[in-house]
Amino acid sequence: MLRLPGFRVASPTTIAEAVAALAEPGARPIAGGTDLLPNLKHRLGAPTVLVQLSRLPLRDVEVRAGALCIGAGAVLADLAEHPLVRAHAPSLARAAGLVAGPTLRNLGTLGGNLHLDTRCRYVNQTPLWREALGGCLKSHGDRCHVVPGGQTCVAALSSDCAPALVALDATLTLHGPAGARTVALADYYCADGTAHTGRAAGELATEIRVPLAPGPRRETYVKWTVRKSIDFPLISIAMRFDLADDAVAAPIVAARVVVGALASTPKLVRKLDALRGQRLDDPATADAIAAQVGAQCKPLPNLPYDADYRRAVLPVHVRRGIAALVAAGENHG
Amino acid sequence: MTTPPDQGELTVRFLLNGEPVAVAVPPHWTLLEVLRYRLDLIGTKQGCDKGDCGACTVQLDGKAVPSCLVLGSAVDGRAVTTVEGLRGPTLHPLFDAFDHAVAAQCGFCTPGIVMAAEAYLRRLGRPVTRAEAAAALAGNLCRCTGYTKILDAVVAASERLHGAGGG
Amino acid sequence: MGDGGVIGRAHRKVDAVDRMRGVARYADDLKLPGMLHGRIKRSPHAHARIVSIDAAPALALPGVHAVITGADLPTPYGVIPWTPDENALAVTKVCHVGDGVAAVAAIDEDAAIAACDAIRVDYEVLRAIYDPVEALAATDVTINPYARAGNLSKHVDLAFGDVDAALAASPLVVAEEYFFEGSTHAAIEPHCALATVDGGGVLTVWSSTQVSHYLHRELAKVLGWPAHRIRVIQPPLGGAFGGKSEPFDLEFCAALLAIRTGRPVKFLYTREEVFLAHRGRHPMAMRYATGFDRDGHITAVDARTIIDGGAYSSFGLVTTYYSGQLLGAPYRLPAFRFDSTRAYTNKPACGPKRGHGSVQPRFALESQLDQAAVELGLDPIELRRRNFLGADTRTVNEFAIGSCGFLECLDRVEAASGWKARRPALPHGRGLGVAGSTYISGTNYCIYPTELPQAAVQITLDRSGRARVFTGANDIGQGSSTMVAVIAAEELGLDLADIRVIAADSDLCPVDLGAYSSRVTLMVGNACLAAARALRAKVVEVVAARWGIAPGQVSLVERQAIDQTDPARRVPLTEAFHWAEAKHGLLTAAGSYDTPRDRHGAYRGGTIGASPAYSFTAHVAEVEVDVATGEAQVIAVWAAHDCGKALSPRIVEGQIEGSVYMGLAEALMEAHTVDGAHGGVVAAPSLLDYRLPTALDTPAIHALIVEHPDAQGPYGAKEAGEGPLHPIIPAIAAAIYDAVGVRLRRTPFGPPQLLAALQARAAREAAGALAPHKGRALAEVR
């Protein structure tokens, strides 16, 4: 079978211990392990020490200071069913419940999902396979098989929770040797598939904060894959609409649409200001959003599925997501 | 290139099928490897190497997880239940239902499916529908049955375990 | 039928509880003292000459015991003895990414991996060809090192009747091209082999094989060891589906490394290696023309097929014949011609996957029938009825057909699906489709020439009242061990729990040819029946003599011998066995089965595809198409299968359900492809990338058993393991047509393919070239 490379493990029980352990060169944090371990079995990375985060007190979910605060170690299956998450961030609950399959959701954590390595059909295979390919920007090579001539790796952000949390204006707190810092998740990801998060070496993500909605809101997360379970997202769309009152047909006050599974960052869809005052149940609204998504989001042949097809149906899934919100009516979930 | 760095083996103490055990574990071994190749608990199967098939499903603190994606060292202080943990003087209702329905053909995926199903039925504590069973087992691949008789068996076992007249 | 009352009941399987509880030891569950772990170093090149191999750096590593290369195993082999064209490890050149070039034995897997990494191989890279047509045309590149005709692997051209004249005279000729994509078995258990040599110089190989006997023969040939010094054992097997039906590199490597090191050596494939070993469904490009008269009767079928074989022959000679030979039923074909060409390409070899060779042409032919039904304004089920071949007849290619329940299969799926009432009423986007098929219950001729029987079973009764059944048959999960137990119990009046089946151990069991071509129930069943009846006769004779009645008046039932003339007179079977053993000595009997030799065609190739008995199947699939996304969701499948006689109905249902599942998967999402633009890698070499449907992706499958007993089968039984796969692919295609009016002629019918077809139809509708389907213009629905 595929074997893991050799490494040591550290099992800190406090954040300070974890930060100290992560200071060692070649150290990597491991939370649920559902992304890191397959990648290491594929020899994508050779850490000297894995710092296990499972013993850290990072699993709490609470409402504090106007925000839903979620420990980075909270398990995805729990988040999907957590009453506070369902009440205050239903699109996140939905996204967490759509990650991989049921058994992996029992291991995977929110912090881990936000730090999933980017994925590409030309990378996530064995060393033999990558050797046959001749390597690439992300793995022992200097060429990109997705964008001919490309100099920047465009491996895809494959987190289901990241688009949802960016759409909800979430922040991420990290602890490092220099103390704690908090960043807007929207600013956390960068367009380099080989190093796509702002996590500095030695840093540890500890908490995700979602500001409570200032008023009535509808939000959803849409995922499409070939199978109804197990697969990474091929279409990934988070949408949030703040409304003037609590009817689904109320005028839109603010809209935020974030698309994942494109390149290395979640894509914030621009030019949605004209939606202010429009209504979700007006088909023209969905058409306008779908048109902007279609114009601004171009799925690439980085994921193992037909890119032209993904481009063609992305707007369809936007419209369907909105239609489902309208159909749910006053039922916020 | 694959020689483990010098940490030696770690002693991991955990509850295995209800019994406390202490096992020496190389740091880079998965729980699956520890179970199969150190402890000879061969009921937990290896199918895909990396969390894609569910054949290696065990219960960690009562929840179904793929043991190929858990480091052996990570179960220190926790409870691990394998398919061997469901053995007893009488046939567990899930085994009986699977046997009655002929839900195991080659049987290679069955221990993992039974562990996923057992965790789910225990958590719900009531009879389940086919659709619910299908969702609960959607991380476990079976190549023989088309799932038809597996879902029959899980529904039947849930009725026997948690039905109106059941215990 | 015997007296036992066992046949046709809903049995539990004799080995299921041990498998599901984790007690049964599959190949990788075996561990021997001092066991070493093996690993194979594989080629990163799709086509290259091996210049040199330097194993010294590997041998210098700690824990590495031995390294072998192709030079150590130079004898070529092949499961078909006429085409020995592969080596255990590449000798002169590698022919696809993943070809093995060296193998190591080391103290553990980590050391074995390190050793493989340390072996240095110099290659001279050669031009690789991934397209069969290009390969056939190439004059400068010969892919297979043993090829005798360039890149032509096999060509078959057979004609029955005057096809050209019949087509010319036909008022309707449907002529289309089809492409069936490759797919693979993906059994959940990866291949595994363990070998050891005992003090007496006997090599024992445990392997996850479905053909112990062929493995035994090829081990003897390649190792140069006499067969009597080799023992092959097949432990419980975790699925096969044709993917374990020939020898593989790991078995030879484990054996030779065990010989070289004097220690047991185990090899376990990674999942990627399973995809590289492949031997799955051949991609086929098919051009079909079928003629019809005005009433929908077929006048002729003309088929041309290009088969993409990959780098080696595997069963390819047979595949090439099967691509035409198995189309002769269940419809009457007045004239039939097929021209099939298999080419070598620089890809993992294709081979037999469930429904070997005939799933692809069946898709083409059934699609032709569906299209004809539309053009002729006939109900597709009615069109099939009109073309029914009948029972107890011969096909156009001279195969003798015995029982045939195809019409009843059609009736059953028509009724169960509500076809007549529902199909005309289904709205745009919903559709029902039908298809039929036939399959063999084994082949009349062994794959090597022999006068010996195809199957044999030995049964011994012991003094505790048990029966031990010894069979070489490979239980691969399909239930063959239960099948022989059921027959023994039926004849001997025992309970299933009283039967101990010892299977697939070449030291203990008589030879059986293996679990392939759906041969086991009919052939091994017949052998078991013969043995059980011989034993029964011994017991009954002794009991009858004691009671002073005729042997025909003794029943063996429910662990008792009973006097039919005086049912109060009875004796426990254990005691009856003692009486019989006292008279006859140890109670043992053997049964053999060989195939009839008068049921095939009198022409070259006329034996290939001829079977003692044929199963028949009809499916109706219900599909819902999402016209905006191109997703076709199968809502339900009704599958009626004529298995002759269901010895164990639940097991038969399971075979039907599993077949539908596997066919549905290749219809909708599975594809085993090689990426020629990226070094010739297998595009989806994991169970993440190669997507097997989960429980949430699988529709309700309604298995309907049809029983038309065949005189050739035990109690009339025919096969059930492969036939029920065939119709699902064309049935789904037909249902998609019924739903939205587009014909998909390439598999898989994935959303991109269906959406493109819908867009093409919408454009034609908009141009006025097509009337809206079911009265709804596509532009309107979208």
Side-chain angles (χ1 to χ4, degrees):
Chain A
M1 81 179 79
L2 288 183
R3 299 273 299 173
L4 287 166
F7 47 70
R8 288 170 289 124
V9 294
S11 299
T13 55
T14 68
I15 290 171
E17 284 174 15
V19 169
L22 284 169
E24 180 180 328
R28 286 190 69 170
I30 176 170
T34 57
D35 186 51
L36 180 63
L37 294 184
N39 287 342
L40 292 183
K41 288 182 179 189
H42 282 157
R43 307 296 161 116
L44 292 163
T48 55
V49 57
L50 290 188
V51 180
Q52 306 204 69
L53 307 180
S54 54
R55 278 163 225 289
L56 301 181
L58 292 176
R59 295 187 169 216
D60 288 347
V61 178
E62 59 186 345
V63 172
R64 173 171 23 100
L68 174 68
C69 303
I70 304 171
V75 171
L76 295 168
D78 297 340
L79 290 181
E81 300 193 351
H82 198 288
L84 287 177
V85 181
R86 293 176 76 119
H88 297 293
S91 61
L92 174 63
R94 187 173 162 77
L98 289 171
V99 173
T103 56
L104 266 70
R105 290 196 292 273
N106 284 334
L107 286 175
T109 66
L110 183 58
N113 191 256
L114 294 180
H115 291 87
L116 282 191
D117 201 351
T118 55
R119 298 188 63 81
C120 181
R121 69 199 307 171
Y122 301 111
V123 172
N124 295 97
Q125 302 297 351
T126 65
L128 171 74
W129 198 98
R130 300 197 304 273
E131 186 186 354
L133 181 75
C136 73
L137 293 174
K138 194 172 163 74
S139 164
H140 307 96
D142 56 4
R143 48 194 286 245
C144 180
H145 301 279
V146 176
V147 181
Q151 296 298 309
T152 305
C153 174
V154 292
L157 177 109
S158 297
S159 164
D160 288 298
C161 296
L165 284 168
V166 171
L168 296 175
D169 296 326
T171 64
L172 178 69
T173 299
L174 300 107
H175 280 72
R181 67 181 176 112
T182 296
V183 295
L185 207 58
D187 302 328
Y188 186 63
Y189 296 100
C190 49
D192 177 355
T194 66
H196 77 301
T197 75
R199 190 180 70 85
E203 274 192 320
L204 170 68
T206 52
E207 188 174 76
I208 293 89
R209 262 177 257 165
V210 182
L212 297 187
R217 173 179 283 181
R218 294 293 187 281
E219 61 183 71
T220 191
Y221 175 71
V222 178
K223 173 176 184 171
W224 182 82
T225 60
V226 176
R227 296 184 289 187
K228 295 190 174 70
S229 181
I230 298 180
D231 294 347
F232 284 96
L234 294 169
I235 298 279
S236 169
I237 310 158
M239 295 186 279
R240 174 197 121 197
F241 303 98
D242 292 340
L243 305 178
D245 63 58
D246 203 28
V248 73
I252 294 170
V253 174
R256 204 159 154 88
V257 175
V258 180
V259 179
L262 298 171
S264 306
T265 63
K267 171 95 177 170
L268 179 65
V269 176
R270 310 276 172 196
K271 302 181 191 169
L272 297 180
D273 295 344
L275 292 175
R276 197 167 297 138
Q278 304 294 309
R279 295 164 192 276
L280 273 182
D281 64 344
D282 178 354
T285 303
D287 286 345
I289 298 170
Q292 288 299 345
V293 169
Q296 297 177 44
C297 302
K298 302 290 184 198
L300 296 169
N302 49 4
L303 293 178
Y305 208 71
D306 188 305
D308 291 336
Y309 172 77
R310 292 167 56 225
R311 284 187 192 190
V313 298
L314 188 52
V316 177
H317 289 283
V318 170
R319 285 195 293 268
R320 295 236 169 126
I322 294 169
L325 284 177
V326 172
E330 311 313 308
N331 189 352
H332 295 219
Chain B
M1 68 173 269
T2 54
T3 310
D6 190 21
Q7 191 177 25
E9 299 194 341
L10 309 166
T11 299
V12 179
R13 293 182 170 79
F14 60 106
L15 211 56
L16 176 59
N17 295 331
E19 302 277 337
V21 293
V23 187
V25 174
H28 68 300
W29 279 37
T30 63
L31 175 59
L32 171 66
E33 289 161 334
V34 173
L35 293 171
R36 287 183 56 75
Y37 305 122
R38 276 282 149 104
L39 300 170
D40 209 26
L41 291 171
I42 48 95
T44 303
K45 302 301 183 193
Q46 195 290 121
C48 72
D49 297 320
K50 56 185 194 69
D52 303 327
C53 78
C56 68
T57 302
V58 300
Q59 293 175 6
L60 184 58
D61 295 334
K63 292 185 175 171
V65 302
S67 59
C68 72
L69 296 186
V70 177
L71 288 178
S73 62
V75 303
D76 195 70
R78 305 179 73 177
V80 174
T81 307
T82 69
V83 73
E84 287 86 351
L86 297 192
R87 287 187 200 161
T90 58
L91 204 56
H92 189 281
L94 266 165
F95 291 141
D96 192 49
F98 271 65
D99 192 32
H100 180 73
V102 190
Q105 288 188 26
C106 82
F108 198 78
C109 71
T110 317
I113 286 182
V114 166
M115 294 315 286
E118 201 278 337
Y120 181 67
L121 296 186
R122 188 163 28 76
R123 186 163 73 85
L124 257 65
R126 60 165 173 78
V128 300
T129 64
R130 289 178 71 85
E132 288 173 327
L137 298 179
N140 294 78
L141 299 176
C142 170
R143 196 56 164 168
C144 292
T145 62
Y147 307 101
T148 307
K149 297 204 183 311
I150 290 174
L151 300 182
D152 289 345
V154 172
V155 169
S158 78
E159 287 164 357
R160 193 167 139 200
L161 282 162
H162 304 298
Chain C
M1 217 71 79
D3 310 321
V6 179
I7 297 293
R9 297 239 300 266
H11 314 113
R12 298 176 181 228
K13 291 173 69 179
V14 294
D15 51 358
V17 168
D18 274 357
R19 288 174 184 247
M20 68 178 71
R21 290 194 310 158
V23 176
R25 288 195 173 252
Y26 296 69
D28 186 45
D29 301 333
L30 302 171
K31 187 159 76 175
L32 293 176
M35 185 172 81
L36 300 174
H37 294 263
R39 199 84 164 187
I40 295 173
K41 183 175 181 72
R42 298 189 180 278
S43 165
H45 302 293
H47 198 192
R49 191 174 69 82
I50 298 170
V51 177
S52 67
I53 301 177
D54 181 7
L59 288 164
L61 291 174
V64 177
H65 284 247
V67 179
I68 57 173
T69 68
D72 296 299
L73 292 163
T75 306
Y77 68 91
V79 67
I80 303 290
W82 318 115
T83 55
D85 65 358
E86 58 185 311
N87 290 102
L89 295 168
V91 177
T92 57
K93 58 189 288 210
V94 292
C95 302
H96 67 86
V97 171
D99 247 349
V101 292
V104 306
I107 48 159
D108 58 28
E109 284 197 273
D110 287 339
I113 293 168
C116 281
D117 289 343
I119 295 170
R120 293 288 145 234
V121 185
D122 282 340
Y123 296 100
E124 177 196 342
V125 175
L126 306 172
R127 178 162 85 91
I129 304 180
Y130 306 105
D131 177 73
V133 174
E134 189 186 335
L136 290 167
T139 53
D140 57 329
V141 177
T142 302
I143 292 165
N144 184 286
Y146 300 95
R148 285 170 293 190
N151 294 321
L152 174 66
S153 161
K154 181 69 187 174
H155 177 232
V156 176
D157 183 1
L158 285 172
F160 310 95
D162 190 342
V163 171
D164 291 330
L167 288 179
S170 297
L172 173 66
V173 175
V174 177
E176 299 287 354
E177 293 183 10
Y178 303 88
F179 179 74
F180 201 105
E181 184 57 274
S183 65
T184 202
H185 322 81
I188 306 296
E189 179 200 29
H191 302 52
C192 181
L194 166 64
T196 192
V197 182
D198 70 17
V202 172
L203 168 73
T204 299
V205 177
W206 291 261
S207 177
S208 58
T209 181
Q210 59 188 112
V211 288
S212 301
H213 177 61
Y214 296 138
L215 173 60
H216 196 166
R217 285 169 56 91
E218 298 306 289
L219 281 169
K221 176 183 172 187
V222 173
L223 296 169
W225 273 45
H228 71 268
R229 282 177 59 207
I230 301 173
R231 177 182 186 184
V232 174
I233 301 172
Q234 176 236 315
L237 194 86
F241 314 110
K244 297 169 179 170
S245 60
E246 57 197 289
F248 289 91
D249 52 13
L250 79 173
E251 292 148 332
F252 299 108
C253 291
L256 183 61
L257 285 165
I259 293 167
R260 290 275 173 92
T261 62
R263 291 172 65 162
V265 181
K266 184 201 276 184
F267 281 72
L268 170 66
Y269 272 174
T270 63
R271 178 51 61 176
E272 181 188 44
E273 287 180 295
V274 177
F275 281 94
L276 295 172
H278 189 41
R279 317 287 157 150
R281 186 92 66 221
H282 286 74
M284 289 194 192
M286 302 170 283
R287 179 184 299 175
Y288 269 61
T290 306
F292 298 87
D293 70 16
R294 288 193 174 77
D295 297 324
H297 298 110
I298 298 169
T299 57
V301 175
D302 188 14
R304 292 182 77 85
T305 303
I306 299 291
I307 303 172
D308 186 348
Y312 302 107
S313 279
S314 177
F315 283 81
L317 182 154
V318 177
T319 315
T320 312
Y321 274 103
Y322 281 10
S323 69
Q325 286 288 68
L326 301 192
L327 285 184
Y331 313 115
R332 180 172 304 284
L333 309 183
F336 175 43
R337 176 170 68 208
F338 73 96
D339 182 315
S340 294
T341 307
R342 184 180 190 269
Y344 291 115
T345 52
N346 288 112
K347 304 177 183 179
C350 298
K353 183 184 165 190
R354 197 176 202 170
H356 178 198
S358 69
V359 170
Q360 306 96 317
R362 181 59 60 181
F363 164 57
L365 182 62
E366 296 292 321
S367 295
Q368 299 251 292
L369 296 186
D370 199 66
Q371 194 168 331
V374 171
E375 298 204 19
L376 294 167
L378 284 172
D379 178 305
I381 292 181
E382 172 58 22
L383 179 133
R384 285 168 171 82
R385 285 196 182 105
R386 289 185 187 182
N387 284 289
F388 178 54
L389 173 68
D392 301 315
T393 182
R394 284 203 175 240
T395 64
V396 67
N397 50 341
E398 302 175 30
F399 294 169
I401 302 288
S403 80
C404 177
F406 182 61
L407 283 184
E408 187 180 338
C409 292
L410 286 174
D411 293 345
R412 293 282 297 276
V413 295
E414 181 183 58
S417 66
W419 176 273
K420 278 184 184 155
R422 292 180 62 231
R423 187 163 178 270
L426 288 175
H428 188 276
R430 273 258 186 165
L432 288 171
V434 67
S437 68
T438 183
Y439 203 64
I440 52 177
S441 306
T443 60
N444 287 342
Y445 289 83
C446 174
I447 60 180
Y448 62 87
T450 179
E451 299 286 308
L452 304 178
Q454 282 226 22
V457 167
Q458 224 178 350
I459 307 179
T460 302
L461 300 181
D462 82 10
R463 296 182 183 181
S464 70
R466 281 173 72 117
R468 286 189 296 272
V469 180
F470 298 86
T471 169
N474 298 92
D475 195 319
I476 58 176
Q478 88 281 41
S480 64
S481 290
T482 302
M483 183 273 296
V484 292
V486 163
I487 289 175
E490 172 76 15
E491 293 299 321
L492 294 166
L494 292 169
D495 190 89
L496 266 189
D498 304 332
I499 314 290
R500 173 109 170 107
V501 180
I502 294 106
D505 179 332
S506 68
D507 265 17
L508 303 180
C509 306
V511 165
D512 183 63
L513 299 181
Y516 69 99
S517 79
S518 275
R519 56 181 292 287
V520 174
T521 292
L522 187 141
M523 299 193 186
V524 180
N526 274 330
C528 184
L529 188 56
R533 283 185 174 161
L535 267 184
R536 181 183 191 281
K538 288 188 189 181
V539 175
V540 163
E541 175 217 331
V542 171
V543 173
R546 285 228 180 186
W547 288 345
I549 58 177
Q553 292 171 319
V554 177
S555 294
L556 305 185
V557 59
E558 292 177 355
R559 294 172 169 156
Q560 293 183 314
I562 299 173
D563 179 353
Q564 288 170 14
T565 63
D566 174 12
R569 181 154 73 169
R570 46 185 65 201
V571 61
L573 270 183
T574 309
E575 201 175 336
F577 290 175
H578 292 185
W579 295 350
E581 187 173 341
K583 170 154 190 224
H584 291 290
L586 179 67
L587 292 171
T588 185
S592 296
Y593 172 77
D594 206 4
T595 43
R597 300 291 164 103
D598 59 351
R599 300 176 70 79
H600 56 78
Y603 54 91
R604 182 178 164 81
T607 58
I608 302 181
S611 175
Y614 298 84
S615 73
F616 297 91
T617 314
H619 287 180
V620 166
E622 180 165 0
V623 168
E624 178 157 18
V625 173
D626 184 329
V627 294
T629 64
E631 289 173 275
Q633 190 188 349
V634 179
I635 308 291
V637 178
W638 295 267
H641 180 72
D642 170 20
C643 65
K645 171 72 188 170
L647 305 183
S648 292
R650 274 207 197 115
I651 295 179
V652 172
E653 286 171 8
Q655 288 302 308
I656 297 172
E657 290 155 2
S659 291
V660 168
Y661 166 82
M662 190 166 277
L664 177 136
E666 53 192 300
L668 295 179
M669 56 179 79
E670 292 179 12
H672 185 281
T673 60
V674 162
D675 187 347
H678 292 95
V681 294
V682 170
S686 75
L687 291 183
L688 182 64
D689 301 298
Y690 188 92
R691 299 173 177 104
L692 312 187
T694 71
L696 289 175
D697 304 301
T698 305
I701 302 168
H702 305 284
L704 308 166
I705 293 174
V706 171
E707 295 181 311
H708 283 231
D710 194 290
Q712 300 285 334
Y715 312 106
K718 308 188 285 191
E719 75 90 35
E722 303 188 67
L725 188 148
H726 293 70
I728 186 63
I729 297 126
I732 290 172
I736 290 172
Y737 180 83
D738 187 45
V740 291
V742 303
R743 291 247 173 243
L744 295 182
R745 299 187 179 93
R746 297 176 68 90
T747 68
F749 315 137
Q753 294 78 13
L754 181 46
L755 187 63
L758 286 162
Q759 286 166 344
R761 183 183 169 95
R764 295 188 66 200
E765 284 183 12
L770 269 181
H773 187 71
K774 294 195 181 188
R776 292 194 72 175
L778 271 177
E780 174 198 336
V781 248
R782 295 183 73 231

